[in-house]
Amino acid sequence: SFLLDDNVLIDAGTGVGDLTLDELAHIDHIVVSHSHLDHVLAIGLLADSVSRRRVDAPPIRVHALPATLEALRQHIFNGVIWPDFTRLPSAERPLLAFEPFAVGDVLALGEHRIEVLPAIHTVPAVGFAVLAEGGAWVFTGDTGPNPALWQRLRSLPMAHLVIETAFSDE
């Protein structure tokens, strides 16, 4: 997971548990690369931990592909694994709000502009380019060979590139 400034979290896996309760309470947006547990595990923990501190705040916006949001609804926030924080504490003032995006979208999240990049994985997946004047910070989680990603990156000024890879048994 990567924290941009103090309010945008990219993925919600390893590292989120190292943040203080005050730091967690400042997170307004979570952008999720894909539905595997090592990328979404901390969403429920974060929501549960900050629920009393965000009573008057807008919901934490979870941005992801529609298939990823559906996986979160069906398998995580289903009342069996975690409560449905998109309806708690009330449907009118939920703690989480799910926001779908598509590859190619540019998200405006506070001061940040984040382009959604193509990724290839065993489940629907994306990467992200945090666009900035000095070049983009690019992250893609668990991707294999991906010509569409490299084609886009050729035309994007980059400052930093972080690629998490998954290797097959072959």
Side-chain angles (χ1 to χ4, degrees), residues 2-18:
F2 298 92
L3 184 62
L4 304 178
D5 294 331
D6 64 350
N7 64 340
V8 178
L9 187 63
I10 295 183
D11 276 346
T14 305
V16 176
D18 294 336

Side-chain angles (χ1 to χ4, degrees), residues 5 55 57 65 158 163:
D5 294 331
V55 173
L65 290 169
M158 281 191 297
I163 299 180

